[in-house]
Amino acid sequence: MRKIMCFAASAMVLSCFGQAPAHASGGADDGPVSIGVIGEGLKVKEVRAILTGWEAGARARVSLWKGHTYIRQVRGWKYTSAKELSGHKFEVTTWKINKSFPHRSKLCVEFKGHDRMPCVTIKR
C-alpha cells in the first residue's frame, strides 16, 4: 500500500509540472527517495528528484552508473523546494539535462543524509 501511495504521489508531482510522459520516460523509488526522468530514446531532457516529507536544507544530485560501477556525476548538489499537493508533503528539485547517455547506463539520484539511491536505466 505504501508503494502505491509513493507512486501516486510521484505521478501527482510529475503531472503537477505539466509534463506529458515521453516514450523513454520513467521513474523509480527507493523508500522516501524517487527519481523521474523525461526523455526520448537515449536522450534525457530532464531529471527530477523527490524526497517524501519536508526536510529543510535537503540537497540532491544525479550520477551516471554502468552496472554497479560509478561513472561520473551528471549534475551536482542542488537544494530542493518544499511542496505540498493533496495533503502530501515532499521536497523536489529538477535539472535540465538535454544529453544522450549510453544504452543500458543508469541515472541515479541521491539525497544528502539518505542511504537510498533509486536509478532509471536508459534504453533505446
Side-chain angles (χ1 to χ4, degrees):
M1 182 68 172
R2 184 168 181 250
K3 193 161 192 104
I4 292 170
M5 286 180 52
C6 288
F7 179 76
S10 296
M12 285 189 293
V13 170
L14 293 176
S15 65
C16 161
F17 287 102
Q19 290 283 342
H23 171 67
S25 298
D29 60 65
D30 187 1
V33 179
S34 300
I35 182 173
V37 175
I38 296 175
E40 297 174 11
L42 299 176
K43 184 171 184 177
V44 173
K45 294 179 180 179
E46 183 175 290
V47 173
R48 295 184 181 132
I50 303 163
L51 177 63
T52 303
W54 282 345
E55 189 175 306
R59 293 188 299 161
R61 70 176 172 179
V62 180
S63 55
L64 180 66
W65 293 72
K66 187 71 173 180
H68 297 289
T69 306
Y70 173 84
I71 304 298
R72 65 181 171 89
Q73 181 173 281
V74 176
R75 293 290 185 266
W77 294 108
K78 184 176 179 182
Y79 285 99
T80 60
S81 298
K83 304 284 183 191
E84 184 173 4
L85 183 64
S86 301
H88 297 282
K89 298 175 181 180
F90 53 91
E91 298 286 335
V92 64
T93 192
T94 63
W95 295 267
K96 297 290 184 196
I97 305 292
N98 291 320
K99 291 186 179 185
S100 293
F101 294 94
H103 179 60
R104 295 198 182 276
S105 60
K106 296 178 188 176
L107 287 180
C108 303
V109 68
E110 63 181 302
F111 277 84
K112 201 154 203 80
H114 290 268
D115 62 350
R116 306 295 179 99
M117 190 172 70
C119 301
V120 172
T121 302
I122 307 300
K123 295 181 182 176
R124 285 176 225 225

